[in-house]
Amino acid sequence: MIEIKDLNVDYFGNSALEDVSIEIPFGHIVGIIGPNGAGKSTLIKALLEVIKKRTGTIMVEGRSISEFKRKIAYVPQKNDIDLSFPITVKDTVLTGTYPNLRLFQRPGKKERERVEHCMAMVDISDLANKQISNLSGGQLQRVFIARALAQQAHVFFLDEPFVGIDLVSEKIIVDLLKQLREEGKTILVVHHDLHEVEEYFDKIIILNKKMIAFGDVKDTFTTENIRRAYGSSLGNVIIKGMGGGDND
Ligand code: ADP
Ligand code: MG
């Protein structure tokens, strides 16, 4: 499990996460939801040690997260990716194999075969030699998912993977995440459209700087918690938009 205790992050004196403590068991698809600026991406970046300035402890299976980092694959939020960099689909996916190579080792036949396999899993084999700058949003997201697969990670972090993509790509990715879960992998997904929460996730973390709630979707995804995270006026608009009543 991933054990986060008293995590605090601030940017230049403005706090982004306050006293966040969660124990996330392995083997689930976990949604991270909350309003804009709630610290969802910050939470993931703190887990990846992209953000180093923090207090609190983060352990995986009782060891420090640093020792486990190679086993975590990360698909960043779209606007965090530099698409002007000239690189093909195939070579992008190949970079997923790098964390598991030894120092100065180059990817070989085994890695290239794995790349072919991972591209096939998200149906992008025919795009292998295209530049990533020429892809649609959905194709691009599948490339980054294939790259994450090539890393052979145990834990996957995806930051808003469904933003700006087509329905076919979304379905391919969701099915794949469920398949990974069946293999015992752990998947954390930052997500902001609340409509699919029940369909996509086993558990959710509801965040607004502080932890609002964490648990199984059926117990945690309540109108009460949504109001607490989004504030009562915005919360009510969201709940109404989802066709929910105010019976809890
Ligand atoms: P979310 O992903 O939930 O929308 P973020 O984690 O990106 O939220 O941001 C949380 C808060 O921290 C926001 O108020 C945001 O403006 C601020 N923030 C995020 N990244 C930085 C940064 N690099 N420098 C300064 N402030 C930041
Ligand atoms: Mg974000």
Side-chain angles (χ1 to χ4, degrees):
M1 88 180 158
I2 304 171
E3 196 179 348
I4 303 166
K5 206 153 172 262
D6 301 325
L7 176 64
N8 283 271
V9 176
D10 68 57
Y11 295 106
F12 313 107
N14 296 316
S15 106
L17 291 175
E18 290 175 8
D19 299 322
V20 171
S21 296
I22 332 170
E23 293 177 2
I24 306 166
F26 280 167
H28 298 283
I29 305 177
V30 181
I32 304 176
I33 65 173
N36 268 333
K40 303 182 297 295
S41 297
T42 299
L43 176 61
I44 284 194
K45 288 176 185 169
L47 291 174
L48 289 160
E49 298 193 310
V50 172
I51 294 173
K52 296 198 173 66
K53 214 172 134 273
R54 56 154 172 95
T55 61
T57 54
I58 304 173
M59 310 283 277
V60 182
E61 298 291 81
R63 294 160 76 178
S64 94
I65 187 96
S66 312
E67 293 175 52
F68 191 78
K69 253 188 335 202
R70 247 168 3 109
K71 293 285 164 209
I72 303 176
Y74 172 45
V75 179
Q77 215 169 339
K78 204 145 134 227
N79 45 16
D80 282 353
I81 301 172
D82 178 9
L83 294 176
S84 63
F85 191 76
I87 186 168
T88 63
V89 165
K90 197 164 63 181
D91 287 344
T92 305
V93 178
L94 187 65
T95 63
T97 67
Y98 292 179
N100 288 307
L101 296 176
R102 292 186 310 277
L103 192 63
F104 304 126
Q105 186 192 356
R106 294 223 187 106
K109 185 160 176 275
K110 196 176 71 183
E111 282 76 24
R112 291 183 192 283
E113 280 170 6
R114 197 191 308 148
V115 164
E116 297 295 328
H117 176 69
C118 294
M119 288 194 300
M121 282 180 80
V122 288
D123 199 16
I124 54 167
S125 304
D126 52 338
L127 305 174
N129 295 312
K130 279 205 167 181
Q131 291 291 316
I132 60 166
S133 53
N134 293 336
L135 304 180
S136 74
Q139 290 170 332
L140 189 66
Q141 194 59 265
R142 281 189 272 156
V143 171
F144 282 95
I145 302 276
R147 176 175 180 266
L149 291 172
Q151 194 181 330
Q152 298 185 306
H154 291 320
V155 174
F156 294 79
F157 294 159
L158 292 79
D159 199 343
E160 309 232 14
F162 306 122
V163 170
I165 76 172
D166 57 289
L167 286 173
V168 174
S169 295
E170 180 156 345
K171 170 113 178 48
I172 289 173
I173 294 169
V174 170
D175 289 349
L176 180 76
L177 297 182
K178 292 184 175 174
Q179 189 185 324
L180 291 171
R181 173 186 58 197
E182 298 318 306
E183 294 166 12
K185 314 281 189 188
T186 304
I187 304 128
L188 264 61
V189 184
V190 175
H191 187 65
H192 79 212
D193 187 342
L194 301 185
H195 286 96
E196 298 99 356
V197 164
E198 285 163 308
E199 193 187 328
Y200 288 180
F201 306 125
D202 309 321
K203 294 178 183 289
I204 45 171
I205 296 168
I206 307 182
L207 199 65
N208 193 354
K209 266 192 204 182
K210 297 176 196 275
M211 273 290 294
I212 305 290
F214 170 66
D216 290 344
V217 168
K218 63 176 180 350
D219 310 318
T220 312
F221 192 53
T222 61
T223 51
E224 157 82 21
N225 283 337
I226 298 300
R227 283 197 193 98
R228 284 175 59 213
Y230 290 80
S232 51
S233 50
L234 180 57
N236 283 334
V237 173
I238 292 168
I239 292 158
K240 220 167 161 197
M242 293 171 54
D246 50 9
N247 49 344
D248 58 0

